[in-house]
Amino acid sequence: MGRKITVAVSTLNQWALDFEGNLARILQSIMEAKDMGASYRTGPELEVSGYSCEDHFREPDTYLHSWEVLLEIMMSPICEHMLIDVGMPVMHRNVAYNCRVAFFNRKILLIRPKMSNCDDGNYRETRWFTPWTKALQTEDFYLPRMISQHTGQDTVPFGDAVIATRDTCIGYEICEELWNVKSKHIDMSLSGVEIIVNSSGSYMELRKAHITTDLIRNASFKAGGAYLFSNLRGCDGQRVFFNGCSAIALNGEIIGRGKQFSLQDVEVTLATIDLEEIRAYRVAQRSRCSMAASAPTYPRINCDFEMSTHCDIFKTASTPMQWIYHTPEEEIAMGPACWLWDYLRRSGQGGFFLPLSGGVDSSSSATIVHSMCRMIVSAVQSGDPQVLHDIRKILADHEYTPDNPAALCNRLLVTCFMGSVNSSKETRRRASQLASQLGSYHIEISIDTAVNALLGIFNAVTGLTPRFRTQGGCARQNLALQNIQSRIRMVLAYIFAQLMLWVRNRPGGLLVLGSANVDESLRGYLTKYDCSSADVNPIGGISKTDLRRFLCYAKDKYNLPILESIIEAPPTAELEPLQDGQLMQTDEQDMGMTYAELSEYGRLRKQSCCGPYSMFCRLVATWKGDLSPKEVADKVKHFFRCYAINRHKMTVLTPSVHAESYSPDDNRFDHRPFLYRANWSWQFKAIDDEVDKLQPIYTPSTSAHARPSTDDLLSSQESTHRSSSHHHHHHHHHQHQQSDSKHSSPLSTSSVDVAAASTATPLGTAPSGSLGALGKKSSGYAKVHVNVLGKIKDRTGIPV
């Protein structure tokens, strides 16, 4: 018959500049595709060099080594009688392009450069590559001599062309070209291209997997024909995790797909396509046919090869399949776990060290390591030789075969509860129970002697000893005493990480894991260089809300009952003294905002590109049932002040796997300054003017009490204590404990200024006039400028 063809897409876990490893994985994918009967193989974007080479793409060496690897692949007997293309950087006339190189039987057919580069999110492709702009044109590319002497070719076509075999036609669309508003697959299909091939480097973000799949399906639905999508997988040297999901679509249906998360370095996905199905589908669309009849012609490079065979009548074509997506909880369980696995095996370290506080964040980091252990055991049991080789190398035990996740976790993860006089018994108990349920090697230490030693040094120099707020100290003393505890934990984490394997008679050291979530980074609610400073952070791109959901999922999925009480406990830093053994400090109270609000601010600031004024306008509408315009204004101002004052912390953020589209990571994803004028005088004046206009027409909703939580009210009072004069501190704090947060009397005190009132938001119970005096005048300056820096309630290194 000669109408059915078998094609293969590859998912590869490549590593930037690992030419040897990348070559081996490419050859393995070609061999597997051939063994399974494919006559065509494609692979991910820049698979030869690795995607994240970044400024190495400016080095001639990167191009030289890529050509050397290509030569090895082309000359390999594995590649005979198969049409293949690979991804690599190519320099043409002193301009660098991101290319596909297609070859058949030791001859290069075409070099196809990328025509739309990606510069958003974590991508910065035009820093290294130039898009090819000459549509439907090719030029002669002069091959390096080392290639010419083996292929006998001096020049090959370079540019926007397609490949015609004896039985069909193949065209290329590289990564961003599929996302682009004017995708190439439409023009190619109208020109008679039946198989469109896309090589990608698409990374994971929570809840994003369906987008790529929909684009692939829709491309083949609209244009007709087959769409082949190959994607990278894994951490190739950056903060992103490429998320696999390679797929093959035909006429609007997915007929082949690879996994999203897996420890497998090479995964080949096949499909058998009946070419006549493409032709029947297309010829039936009459409007398409009239477009195609007048469409411009692509240059075609002829390849004397039949991809089908004449005896394929008994071959069955692939049938449509349902794509089941992972839930966000599963994505958190597997994505960061795979990223940690890549980081661990490529860093040469022997495992992880995690300060485990018994709260949601550090418990999530620990649970993700446990999830990684489960994936390792599962991969070994399914016969993956690479995973077995890697885990034996990491543990320096060449006889070991993991068969139990908890036992493996005991070898790979050391958890440490770093207690102080301010730690409650509950958190200590939760940390130790979680460690025993996960299987980690758990230790408990006290940091008090180290803290006292540092305070002794300070006292020796100054003759003064700082006191907590509850002991009569001022805000600065209180903050410094909290930060010293946080920072000493970081120093202890590193000494234990370097020496715990020595203690356990094993070579090597441990990677220190951090556990600050994306919301805390956004708000700056972390001490610079405290135990959030680490080697890598599995949860730094994930919101508190999603982490709670993940722990609910892990509790049942991994049988970790202790997670229930961890989820229910109020998040706390435990850096201030306990009162009668009871906790008096919570994170939401400290931050002056809830985690739910923080996520909302994050999405508006990053995804919706809102400055203070736009954010206020959006939230006035969203929150109109619960808050007056004045209250919304105060919340927005408070967020932006905190963001501005703490933005500098993003410059030292522990590298974490990118997972959230409002991440504040300043390394690549979020390019904004780290030195701001924190009073936002012009912007806040715009908000004040708007509030003045809205105040007369705002009518409070009957559900005014619905939205604000007790924690909100606590935070509003808390900020007021902080701003009132020092000798009132103890008295106000005491009153706050007794008042059960029902009364807002401190807000009417004359010492309140805007900086303090900025947290005083959801006063459903407050007399309507109690906020009237604050910031009523629309001249933003006088009100906002008052000592902003000293007033923010925060446990971080604020300039005071």
Side-chain angles (χ1 to χ4, degrees):
M1 289 285 286
R3 51 187 256 181
K4 291 176 189 151
I5 60 168
T6 301
V7 295
V9 294
S10 318
T11 310
L12 303 181
N13 190 332
Q14 302 297 67
W15 189 7
L17 300 176
D18 176 24
F19 292 100
E20 188 178 6
N22 294 349
L23 167 64
R25 288 181 282 269
I26 291 167
L27 284 174
Q28 186 185 330
S29 70
I30 294 168
M31 190 163 67
E32 287 183 22
K34 196 170 196 179
D35 287 348
M36 292 189 277
S39 55
Y40 173 74
R41 176 269 181 203
T42 186
E45 190 172 13
L46 294 169
E47 57 192 312
V48 169
S49 58
Y51 183 87
S52 303
C53 299
E54 315 216 304
D55 282 0
H56 290 289
F57 285 126
R58 296 183 175 183
E59 298 169 3
D61 284 18
T62 307
Y63 298 86
L64 167 69
H65 300 320
S66 296
W67 281 111
E68 289 168 347
V69 169
L70 178 73
L71 185 60
E72 291 276 339
I73 297 167
M74 281 195 342
M75 294 299 123
S76 167
I78 298 169
C79 301
E80 285 174 9
H81 308 302
M82 189 179 193
L83 181 54
I84 295 167
D85 60 77
V86 296
M88 60 183 259
V90 176
M91 202 181 290
H92 172 57
R93 298 183 182 171
N94 309 124
V95 178
Y97 297 96
N98 172 349
C99 298
R100 298 308 294 173
V101 180
F103 63 91
F104 176 71
N105 283 352
R106 300 184 170 84
K107 293 266 191 275
I108 295 176
L109 299 170
L110 169 69
I111 302 176
R112 163 51 161 88
K114 190 170 183 175
M115 298 178 74
S116 302
N117 287 353
C118 188
D119 278 332
D120 52 43
N122 282 292
Y123 298 109
R124 296 290 178 274
E125 289 178 357
T126 54
R127 182 177 169 91
W128 309 294
F129 299 117
T130 304
W132 178 256
T133 53
K134 299 174 185 175
L136 309 180
Q137 288 180 49
T138 64
E139 295 173 354
D140 283 341
F141 176 82
Y142 287 82
L143 287 169
R145 284 162 295 180
M146 64 174 173
I147 305 291
S148 296
Q149 64 191 50
H150 288 92
T151 66
Q153 301 168 286
D154 292 321
T155 60
V156 293
F158 183 103
D160 186 21
V162 297
I163 293 172
T165 61
R166 280 199 237 152
D167 43 11
T168 186
C169 186
I170 297 169
Y172 295 96
E173 190 167 64
I174 303 176
C175 200
E176 178 68 9
E177 294 173 40
L178 169 61
W179 276 260
N180 191 276
V181 66
K182 289 185 81 170
S183 295
K184 297 293 172 190
H185 59 258
I186 300 293
D187 290 341
M188 284 191 279
S189 100
L190 294 175
S191 187
V193 175
E194 294 179 332
I195 296 163
I196 291 155
V197 181
N198 186 315
S199 60
S200 262
S202 175
Y203 59 75
M204 180 199 89
E205 255 176 17
L206 296 177
R207 305 172 178 84
K208 172 187 160 186
H210 72 278
I211 294 172
T212 312
T213 316
D214 289 347
L215 284 169
I216 297 161
R217 273 195 314 101
N218 291 335
S220 71
F221 175 78
K222 200 169 179 183
Y227 200 99
L228 278 54
F229 178 82
S230 283
N231 196 20
L232 291 161
R233 172 186 288 143
C235 163
D236 75 339
Q238 251 298 342
R239 288 161 166 77
V240 297
F241 177 80
F242 294 111
N243 76 324
C245 292
S246 297
I248 300 169
L250 177 70
N251 297 343
E253 301 274 12
I254 298 288
I255 58 169
R257 58 160 294 192
K259 293 188 278 290
Q260 183 173 1
F261 303 111
S262 168
L263 303 186
Q264 207 177 331
D265 279 349
V266 176
E267 182 187 19
V268 175
T269 305
L270 265 78
T272 298
I273 294 160
D274 189 335
L275 296 170
E276 295 297 333
E277 279 189 44
I278 296 173
R279 292 154 193 167
Y281 182 90
R282 285 181 172 179
V283 81
Q285 294 181 355
R286 302 313 302 151
S287 66
R288 184 197 173 284
C289 291
S290 53
M291 294 283 291
S294 60
T297 304
Y298 268 80
R300 291 195 176 205
I301 313 296
N302 291 316
C303 175
D304 188 14
F305 175 52
E306 276 184 48
M307 291 172 69
S308 52
T309 54
H310 289 285
C311 51
D312 62 10
I313 194 160
F314 293 113
K315 220 179 189 183
T316 53
S318 304
T319 51
M321 63 202 308
Q322 200 57 41
W323 192 300
I324 308 295
Y325 296 105
H326 292 297
T327 62
E329 293 82 351
E330 290 171 326
E331 290 185 316
I332 293 169
M334 291 188 280
C338 291
W339 185 81
L340 280 181
W341 170 243
D342 280 347
Y343 204 101
L344 176 62
R345 67 200 180 115
R346 290 171 175 176
S347 67
Q349 300 300 300
F352 299 111
F353 180 91
L354 172 68
L356 184 64
S357 70
V360 165
D361 294 338
S362 62
S363 299
S364 297
S365 288
T367 306
I368 286 168
V369 176
H370 179 80
S371 169
M372 181 193 84
C373 293
R374 284 175 173 263
M375 294 180 83
I376 293 167
V377 168
S378 167
V380 168
Q381 286 174 344
S382 64
D384 190 317
Q386 186 65 48
V387 174
L388 183 60
H389 170 267
D390 288 337
I391 192 64
R392 287 175 168 175
K393 191 173 168 191
I394 289 163
L395 296 174
D397 181 347
H398 299 294
E399 305 297 310
Y400 178 67
T401 302
D403 55 4
N404 175 307
L408 177 59
C409 192
N410 191 269
R411 287 184 173 227
L412 280 180
L413 177 64
V414 175
T415 50
C416 177
F417 181 79
M418 299 183 166
S420 76
V421 286
N422 302 323
S423 307
S424 61
K425 289 194 187 74
E426 289 77 28
T427 47
R428 182 187 299 268
R429 179 187 60 79
R430 287 197 293 267
S432 112
Q433 278 189 256
L434 177 63
S436 72
Q437 289 176 18
L438 293 172
S440 68
Y441 184 93
H442 190 62
I443 54 178
E444 293 185 356
I445 62 174
S446 167
I447 66 170
D448 295 325
T449 48
V451 171
N452 291 334
L454 293 176
L455 290 173
I457 293 170
F458 181 80
N459 178 269
V461 173
T462 63
L464 296 172
T465 301
R467 308 224 167 276
F468 281 105
R469 173 180 56 181
T470 49
Q471 298 154 351
C474 69
R476 283 182 293 183
Q477 296 171 52
N478 196 59
L479 198 55
L481 286 171
Q482 292 185 64
N483 287 343
I484 193 176
Q485 297 167 72
S486 309
R487 289 196 177 102
I488 204 68
R489 286 183 167 124
M490 181 273 294
V491 175
L492 287 164
Y494 273 95
I495 187 168
F496 275 88
Q498 285 174 319
L499 294 177
M500 277 314 290
L501 290 186
W502 169 66
V503 171
R504 299 177 77 184
N505 291 317
R506 262 176 53 195
L510 300 173
L511 288 165
V512 179
L513 289 185
S515 46
N517 63 58
V518 74
D519 294 333
E520 290 176 346
S521 300
L522 174 66
R523 160 69 174 71
Y525 187 62
L526 50 101
T527 301
K528 215 171 184 180
Y529 309 114
D530 75 345
C531 54
S532 62
S533 296
D535 294 318
V536 284
N537 178 0
I539 66 160
I542 305 169
S543 74
K544 190 80 158 192
T545 321
D546 281 336
L547 290 174
R548 284 180 186 280
R549 288 191 191 127
F550 160 63
L551 289 184
C552 286
Y553 160 84
K555 174 171 69 78
D556 301 325
K557 179 79 176 173
Y558 305 150
N559 186 25
L560 304 167
I562 184 62
L563 289 179
E564 183 140 7
S565 62
I566 288 171
I567 297 159
E568 286 168 0
T572 172
E574 292 200 321
L575 296 170
E576 293 191 41
L578 303 169
Q579 305 278 305
D580 304 321
Q582 295 306 300
L583 189 67
M584 287 298 142
Q585 180 186 29
T586 70
D587 288 352
E588 289 188 330
Q589 202 174 305
D590 263 8
M591 292 193 300
M593 57 190 76
T594 65
Y595 281 107
E597 288 167 352
L598 202 38
S599 282
E600 187 99 50
Y601 301 141
R603 289 185 200 290
L604 288 172
R605 184 195 69 94
K606 177 68 183 165
Q607 295 167 344
S608 305
C609 302
C610 287
Y613 177 72
S614 298
M615 188 182 290
F616 164 75
C617 294
R618 295 277 283 268
L619 289 175
V620 159
T622 312
W623 291 349
K624 62 178 180 285
D626 293 333
L627 300 172
S628 72
K630 178 71 184 76
E631 290 166 331
V632 175
D634 285 340
K635 276 185 177 289
V636 169
K637 289 176 182 179
H638 179 56
F639 166 71
F640 272 98
R641 280 200 202 90
C642 297
Y643 164 77
I645 287 171
N646 293 306
R647 177 69 186 169
H648 64 95
K649 295 175 188 174
M650 296 307 92
T651 62
V652 296
L653 210 57
T654 298
S656 54
V657 57
H658 173 86
E660 181 53 77
S661 53
Y662 65 83
S663 163
D665 190 326
D666 87 318
N667 168 70
R668 169 67 43 77
F669 188 69
D670 185 19
H671 282 192
R672 286 173 168 83
F674 60 85
L675 182 62
Y676 282 95
R677 176 157 193 176
N679 68 13
W680 300 88
S681 52
W682 191 278
Q683 295 91 329
F684 285 4
K685 181 177 185 308
I687 293 176
D688 289 340
D689 290 348
E690 203 63 38
V691 169
D692 285 349
K693 280 185 226 159
L694 293 172
Q695 207 71 37
I697 56 171
Y698 170 74
T699 47
S701 143
T702 49
S703 63
H705 299 277
R707 189 177 156 286
S709 64
T710 318
D711 286 356
D712 279 322
L713 207 51
L714 284 175
S715 68
S716 68
Q717 295 194 338
E718 213 34 26
S719 64
T720 321
H721 305 147
R722 184 56 76 92
S723 64
S724 53
S725 57
H726 297 323
H727 63 270
H728 285 318
H729 263 164
H730 188 78
H731 163 71
H732 275 245
H733 196 72
H734 183 67
Q735 171 200 349
H736 148 71
Q737 306 309 339
Q738 303 299 318
S739 69
D740 197 28
S741 71
K742 282 279 181 273
H743 310 293
S744 51
S745 53
L747 281 167
S748 49
T749 59
S750 58
S751 62
V752 176
D753 68 7
V754 175
S758 58
T759 48
T761 25
L763 293 163
T765 51
S768 57
S770 67
L771 279 169
L774 302 180
K776 187 162 174 232
K777 202 77 204 87
S778 62
S779 67
Y781 273 106
K783 284 292 167 202
V784 177
H785 202 56
V786 190
N787 191 8
V788 171
L789 297 183
K791 305 290 190 193
I792 302 277
K793 170 104 184 70
D794 205 335
R795 60 183 167 99
T796 53
I798 301 170
V800 181

